Amino acid sequence: MKFSIFQESRLGARKINQDRVGYCYSRDALLMVVADGMGGHLNGELAAQIALQYLTELFRGEARMRLGDPARFLHHGLNDAHEAILDCVRTRNLPEAPRTTCVACVVQDGVATWAHVGDSRLYHVRDGKILSQTRDHSKVQWLVDTGQLREEAASRHPERNKVLNCLGGSRPPQVDLSHRNRLADGDALVLCTDGLWGALTPGMLASVLSRKTLRKRLPTLLDLAQARAGRGCDNLSVVAMSWTEPGATLVDTSTRTLELDEFAHESSAAARMRPKDRDASGDAGAPADTATHPIDRERAGAEANPGYLSDEEIERAIEEIRSAIRRRTPPGAR
Amino acid sequence: MPTQSNQPLPDGYKLLDYRIDSVLSCGGFSIVYLAYDVNDQPVAIKEYLPSHLVLRREGDVLPSIADDHVATFRYGLKCFFEEGRSLARLSHPNVVRVLNFFRANETVYLVMRYERGRTLQEHIQLRRGAISENFIRHVFAQLLNGLREVHTNRLLHLDIKPANIYVRNDGTPLLIDFGGARQTLAAEGDGPGKKMLKPMYTPGFAPPEQYRDRQRLGPWSDIYAVGATIHACLAGMAPQPADKRMQDDKYQPATRLWAGKYSRQLLETIDWCLELNHLQRPQSVFGLQKVLLRQREPMVRSPAGLLGAMQSRLLRFAGALGASSKA
Ligand SMILES: Nc1ncnc2c1ncn2[C@@H]1O[C@H](COP(=O)(O)OP(=O)(O)OP(=O)(O)O)[C@@H](O)[C@H]1O
Ligand SMILES: [Mg+2]
């Protein structure tokens, strides 16, 4: 299985990041998850975290190499993640259940299957066009569907944040499951929260998501969404992959070298976006593909550190380099 | 990939005599900008900003460093200096040219000549691995001139890979990113170096001796990475990482995988560079270059028994010299 994958979660203009994103793959199956913890509710990020963790752990448990039935996995996984949130409410005695949206996608045998609750989306992009996408479980989508609101007006509707279906809610979630979607070489799957899609037009999203540019352009796309959203910018998160047909040679990530029950994974740790905790998540396990791996990111305090450089030593080193450059560069040459 | 949360300097920012134009790349240890100097000439500026130690927030210029990271941050400066020192000593058309080095914003900056082109990694991605033999020979024959210069100066690159080879628009290659110098430092003695520095290696491209036995590092270590890089041009991906190969070698000889698609001579060269035992690889860049520079002559069969026999690698290589492709 060959694909290239990218994920990022940004704070936007908010104080905390309630989005969680992650992916996890074995030799034959890939899982991607995006969850958007709901703001008005207590600990939205807790719900998102539980959903992410629950699904990735279930995946690790079930997919020794491959999942028996991806659709079944997603259906049960999302329903059980809802239960896991309610369990947590009971064990921790929380006054109210935290809630989250969730979209998750499994790729196996060159077929993508996804499921969602709420308004986090999945786009299936081919040749710069959106082939299919999830339909939000939101108030505005319902208004649009029932002819009470024009599609173009949805993004300005005062209740555009209202989600009708979620994990952790008082009613069990209605898990919306996709068909089996066969992937073609170069296809992209993009899972994202409304912080991203809400700030962009569908055209903007689709146009940049061709394979060659995925990794390069996604950060730019996030920048663009942030710029467009300005001061009101919500948390914005994305996991995206582009697919390489077996036989095609380009890869960023090949699962071929993974042992039979080996997994690779990466998820946005709780604290990823909170500066004070950054170190804890600093090495959240780069995916198998990323280039340079520091072997050891152990931090060491000043006392363990006789190699401390003084200002004077720094100045001296710089002067040494500068004079080496001057000596080398013939006069007049740039 | 780990999320990059350090904010780059804003476009248009005046840094000493330079004007920042845009970000070229954001890495774990540094950010590279395109900037313009006082004569409006473009330069590439590399800013030391290890994202696991410092944070620069939106709208800030000075990064904030947690107290318990100050020492590590400063120690890491040494590695960045090492990169500057290496480059300042080198003056070669196939090695990126350093123009200036200075301190500002509580960190340090390395100014390089800006080169128009793209990395070999991007070439591989664009062509999806199907890089032609002519392109490979052309690029590597010249690149090895640069690497020879590095070795002549008693330096090792230690992070050769497609992402660190830049191909100018006119097709000439150059080595960039001498951040691998970090390693030479780490290897020195056991004092703080052992603790403070993260020996860096790139799985798939780093030879076994870079994982352990670091006293065995030598020109042959860069040569392994060159072999892996050529391999990546053909395969579109790195070969199995050397540490894994040491446990259970799944490496398939290039001579088997691409027989008939590339010249036998090129394929044998790849396999030769990728020998796990460092003594069995080409020991110097010069030997390697001779093969790549050689014209692809009409087919001359090497004696059949020679390749199969348990000859020394040198002999095997000599055999390879005689063999040639069906152009
Ligand atoms: N002199 C240059 N001219 C043009 N582009 C450059 C130049 N130097 C670097 N770049 C661009 O910046 C990218 C990153 O550079 P480099 O490999 O030196 O840093 P890095 O890999 O981020 O370093 P580190 O390993 O320290 O994080 C290159 O791939 C290239 O696209
Ligand atoms: Mg690099």
Side-chain angles (χ1 to χ4, degrees):
Chain A
M1 202 167 60
K2 296 177 181 179
F3 53 87
S4 139
I5 196 154
F6 172 97
Q7 76 171 23
E8 186 160 354
S9 181
R10 294 192 188 171
L11 199 49
R14 299 289 158 87
K15 288 212 172 56
I16 50 172
N17 193 347
Q18 299 190 308
D19 287 356
R20 292 293 180 271
V21 300
Y23 62 80
C24 178
Y25 54 88
S26 66
R27 208 188 60 180
D28 294 334
L30 163 71
L31 169 73
M32 298 177 280
V33 181
V34 166
D36 179 354
M38 284 159 67
H41 299 265
L42 199 63
N43 295 324
E45 72 274 21
L46 176 62
Q49 181 71 31
I50 295 173
L52 172 65
Q53 229 166 316
Y54 186 84
L55 286 166
T56 49
E57 271 159 29
L58 188 67
F59 179 85
R60 286 150 163 275
E62 273 189 28
R64 284 191 73 78
M65 280 187 293
R66 46 187 292 117
L67 292 167
D69 178 359
R72 206 182 124 87
F73 169 86
L74 288 166
H75 180 79
H76 286 295
L78 285 168
N79 276 297
D80 293 353
H82 168 75
E83 295 300 333
I85 294 169
L86 299 185
D87 281 348
C88 173
V89 172
R90 280 189 288 273
T91 54
R92 292 208 204 168
N93 252 324
L94 299 178
E96 190 191 3
R99 301 173 181 193
T100 186
T101 70
C102 187
V103 55
C105 176
V106 170
V107 177
Q108 179 168 296
D109 299 327
V111 171
T113 313
W114 57 81
H116 77 293
V117 289
D119 67 351
S120 293
R121 289 186 181 175
L122 179 144
Y123 295 92
H124 181 185
V125 182
R126 178 171 299 166
D127 298 330
K129 294 196 189 62
I130 294 172
L131 205 63
S132 58
Q133 71 180 74
T134 51
R135 179 168 284 268
D136 301 340
H137 307 136
S138 64
K139 176 95 180 250
V140 289
Q141 186 63 50
W142 179 75
L143 290 172
V144 169
D145 289 348
T146 51
Q148 304 178 60
L149 185 71
R150 278 181 308 114
E151 185 114 43
E152 309 80 71
S155 64
R156 292 185 303 274
H157 196 277
E159 288 187 291
R160 61 181 178 275
N161 287 331
K162 198 152 185 190
V163 168
L164 302 177
N165 184 11
C166 63
L167 305 183
S170 45
R171 276 174 298 166
Q174 303 296 308
V175 176
D176 201 337
L177 198 63
S178 78
H179 297 295
R180 289 162 49 84
N181 298 272
R182 180 152 292 284
L183 296 177
D185 191 38
D187 278 9
L189 295 170
V190 183
L191 291 76
C192 61
T193 57
D194 62 336
L196 182 68
W197 66 253
L200 300 171
T201 65
M204 288 174 175
L205 267 168
S207 65
V208 299
L209 298 174
S210 62
R211 170 186 22 231
K212 283 170 198 144
T213 52
L214 191 67
R215 250 168 209 271
K216 262 207 177 132
R217 296 259 190 104
L218 268 171
T220 322
L221 195 69
L222 288 158
D223 291 345
L224 178 66
Q226 258 180 306
R228 283 169 60 96
R231 301 236 155 260
C233 187
D234 195 359
N235 304 147
L236 59 173
S237 307
V238 63
V239 184
M241 69 88 92
S242 66
W243 178 251
T244 305
E245 259 308 273
T249 40
L250 161 82
V251 272
D252 282 289
T253 298
S254 168
T255 55
R256 226 175 49 194
T257 52
L258 287 183
E259 295 304 324
L260 295 192
D261 45 10
E262 215 180 324
F263 289 94
H265 76 282
E266 157 119 346
S267 44
S268 69
R272 174 62 56 81
M273 283 296 150
R274 267 177 296 169
K276 58 181 185 323
D277 294 323
R278 279 175 77 250
D279 215 64
S281 63
D283 196 16
D289 62 338
T290 44
T292 319
H293 291 221
I295 290 174
D296 140 40
R297 282 200 172 175
E298 227 82 304
R299 39 201 271 192
E303 74 286 354
N305 196 353
Y308 189 90
L309 276 185
S310 67
D311 271 333
E312 199 184 308
E313 286 170 303
I314 292 176
E315 291 303 336
R316 215 182 310 132
I318 291 176
E319 198 33 60
E320 197 187 308
I321 294 168
R322 293 171 66 91
S323 71
I325 295 171
R326 278 194 302 271
R327 273 200 307 277
R328 192 207 53 194
T329 313
R334 205 171 60 80
Chain B
M1 65 186 77
T3 317
Q4 173 71 36
S5 41
N6 265 326
Q7 292 294 323
L9 294 171
D11 297 354
Y13 180 81
K14 285 283 289 177
L15 178 65
L16 209 73
D17 292 338
Y18 305 94
R19 176 171 47 81
I20 300 287
D21 181 89
S22 53
V23 173
L24 290 171
S25 130
C26 260
F29 274 83
S30 52
I31 299 181
V32 182
Y33 303 91
L34 167 63
Y36 290 88
D37 68 8
V38 280
N39 301 317
D40 236 16
Q41 294 297 314
V43 291
I45 302 186
K46 193 168 191 175
E47 178 184 47
Y48 170 65
L49 206 66
S51 59
H52 60 295
L53 296 177
V54 302
L55 176 72
R56 183 161 56 208
R57 295 199 181 79
E58 181 96 58
D60 288 352
V61 165
L62 300 184
S64 61
I65 312 173
D67 286 347
D68 54 346
H69 284 166
V70 171
T72 319
F73 176 82
R74 290 218 165 183
Y75 202 86
L77 272 177
K78 279 195 178 174
C79 317
F80 201 78
F81 290 155
E82 214 46 50
E83 181 170 359
R85 261 188 214 111
S86 309
L87 284 172
R89 276 159 69 183
L90 297 166
S91 172
H92 193 276
N94 302 113
V95 175
V96 70
R97 180 117 175 138
V98 59
L99 302 171
N100 197 357
F101 197 95
F102 60 90
R103 192 176 184 191
N105 299 335
E106 289 172 11
T107 186
V108 290
Y109 295 86
L110 172 84
V111 184
M112 297 168 277
R113 184 146 72 198
Y114 175 71
E115 301 286 357
R116 283 168 224 280
R118 55 167 66 110
T119 64
L120 183 59
Q121 171 80 3
E122 289 167 281
H123 275 276
I124 292 174
Q125 287 177 354
L126 283 171
R127 303 200 202 170
R128 311 184 54 203
I131 303 250
S132 75
E133 174 149 357
N134 278 339
F135 181 88
I136 292 172
R137 282 176 183 266
H138 179 80
V139 163
F140 282 87
Q142 295 181 69
L143 191 79
L144 291 176
N145 282 329
L147 186 57
R148 233 164 99 187
E149 180 72 14
V150 174
H151 291 172
T152 308
N153 278 277
R154 301 188 158 276
L155 296 166
L156 297 175
H157 186 286
L158 296 182
D159 198 17
I160 294 177
K161 60 181 173 182
N164 288 340
I165 294 172
Y166 200 83
V167 185
R168 296 186 184 98
N169 287 338
D170 67 4
T172 57
L174 63 155
L175 279 168
I176 60 171
D177 198 354
F178 281 62
R182 281 188 267 278
Q183 289 147 326
T184 37
L185 248 177
E188 273 166 19
D190 22 39
K194 280 270 153 56
K195 278 205 185 66
M196 304 305 308
L197 293 173
K198 303 92 201 152
M200 301 289 284
Y201 64 95
T202 302
F205 297 97
E209 65 269 21
Q210 215 164 321
Y211 292 81
R212 41 193 152 118
D213 282 350
R214 298 179 65 85
Q215 72 282 4
R216 300 248 155 83
L217 288 173
W220 44 84
S221 308
D222 279 337
I223 285 172
Y224 183 97
V226 167
T229 303
I230 303 181
H231 185 279
C233 290
L234 273 52
M237 59 194 282
Q240 190 191 18
D243 56 336
K244 299 265 163 56
R245 288 188 64 194
M246 297 294 278
Q247 289 157 16
D248 176 20
D249 195 357
K250 300 213 173 76
Y251 180 75
Q252 301 220 25
T255 38
R256 180 133 30 96
L257 286 178
W258 293 286
K261 300 209 177 79
Y262 291 87
S263 72
R264 183 160 183 94
Q265 179 204 52
L266 180 74
L267 298 176
E268 284 183 342
T269 309
I270 295 173
D271 292 339
W272 189 31
C273 293
L274 284 170
E275 287 286 353
L276 285 174
N277 182 341
H278 69 95
L279 294 171
Q280 295 190 337
R281 287 174 225 148
Q283 297 294 295
S284 80
V285 170
F286 184 63
L288 191 55
Q289 246 179 331
K290 277 208 318 216
V291 201
L292 290 172
L293 279 172
R294 225 181 143 83
Q295 288 303 308
R296 299 170 63 190
E297 320 156 335
M299 190 79 120
V300 182
R301 287 221 174 274
S302 57
L306 186 61
L307 289 170
M310 294 299 288
Q311 301 282 349
S312 82
R313 294 291 157 171
L314 200 63
L315 261 179
R316 172 174 165 185
F317 188 53
L321 280 171
S324 197
S325 69
K326 29 185 191 174

